[in-house]
Amino acid sequence: MHSPTPYQSTPTTHHGDLIHRTAPVHQPVILPADIPPGVDWVTLPNGIRTLAYTPPPAPQPVPAAQPIPTWAKTTALLAPTVGVGIGAAGIGLSYAAPGLIAMTHALWSAAALVVATVIAVPVVIRTARRAVGGTGTGGSTTHITQNITATGLFGRATGTINHR
């Protein structure tokens, strides 16, 4: 059974029939706050953990400042300029809107005039020809008739023209 008193185990050494007990090892209890800087717990190859001096951690190298690329500077300087230009264009269009509306009305009127001219000029010319040399005044009109015939896909075409 268990006895109420805890015992500390100590390693034993056997030399023949004699048993030699070594003195118990008492390790002091060290709190983490009591460990001085530069000392840390290490595990030895045989598995024993002990305190040992450790080298201070190497400081991290500070990266050298990189120069800003030229394209980044150009873009940074150009961005506000483009933004101001777009804003100015918007303001200009808002001031010019009534004039632009008037110009579109003028362009539609000009297009209607061109279409009316294209239609009216042949009508005027036709009526002027009839008035000068129409069929009722004894003038002659010539009718031209053309007949073309061809045989086969690549056959030679022949034709006649009749003037009446």
Side-chain angles (χ1 to χ4, degrees):
M1 289 270 188
H2 280 297
S3 84
T5 309
Y7 292 101
Q8 186 173 12
S9 64
T10 57
T12 58
T13 308
H14 295 281
H15 295 288
D17 291 336
L18 298 174
I19 296 178
H20 298 282
R21 294 203 180 263
T22 58
V25 177
H26 295 287
Q27 293 185 348
V29 178
I30 299 176
L31 298 174
D34 295 337
I35 298 175
V39 176
D40 200 6
W41 286 102
V42 294
T43 304
L44 299 175
N46 61 2
I48 298 175
R49 286 184 48 102
T50 185
L51 289 172
Y53 288 104
T54 56
Q60 296 294 329
V62 177
Q66 298 291 328
I68 299 173
T70 305
W71 65 266
K73 289 179 187 177
T74 305
T75 304
L77 292 173
L78 213 74
T81 307
V82 171
V84 169
I86 290 172
I91 293 170
L93 284 175
S94 70
Y95 281 123
L100 291 175
I101 293 170
M103 281 195 295
T104 57
H105 289 303
L107 285 174
W108 279 115
S109 300
L113 181 64
V114 168
V115 169
T117 305
V118 167
I119 293 172
V121 167
V123 172
V124 170
I125 291 173
R126 187 176 300 138
T127 54
R129 279 188 183 172
R130 282 188 187 158
V132 171
T135 56
T137 61
S140 67
T141 57
T142 305
H143 295 283
I144 300 174
T145 308
Q146 184 175 9
N147 295 322
I148 299 173
T149 57
T151 57
L153 181 62
F154 296 106
R156 186 172 181 173
T158 58
T160 58
I161 299 175
N162 299 321
H163 295 275
R164 293 186 199 162

